[in-house]
């Protein structure tokens, strides 16, 4: 019984790992604080450029 349980458990764990790879998390990728700040500056510069072009 113990040998059979070990074999079944081994295959169940293998199936769980394969299934986990198919269903990826919907959590967004991590963006560092410095990267968020850089993106915010770029967005701000683009807004300023669009305002300058509209004024001309």
């Amino acid at each position: 019984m113990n040998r059979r349980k070990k074999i079944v458990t081994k295959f169940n764990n293998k199936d769980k790992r394969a299934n986990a790879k198919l269903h990826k998390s919907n959590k967004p990728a991590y963006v560092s604080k410095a990267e968020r700040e850089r993106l915010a500056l770029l967005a701000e510069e683009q807004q300023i450029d669009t305002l300058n072009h509209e004024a001309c």
Side-chain angles (χ1 to χ4, degrees), residues 2-49:
N2 282 339
R3 183 184 311 156
R4 183 173 179 204
K5 183 179 177 185
K6 283 183 181 180
I7 292 170
V8 169
T9 304
K10 183 177 180 182
F11 284 115
N12 284 342
N13 288 339
K14 187 176 181 183
D15 288 341
K16 279 185 181 180
R17 284 192 304 270
N19 198 24
K21 285 185 179 181
L22 291 176
H23 302 286
K24 297 288 183 186
S25 175
N26 290 330
K27 190 172 82 171
Y30 175 75
V31 180
S32 69
K33 189 176 181 179
E35 185 68 18
R36 287 193 302 266
E37 188 175 330
R38 187 180 71 80
L39 292 174
L41 287 173
L42 285 173
E44 188 177 318
E45 286 178 2
Q46 287 178 349
Q47 286 179 348
I48 291 172
D49 287 343

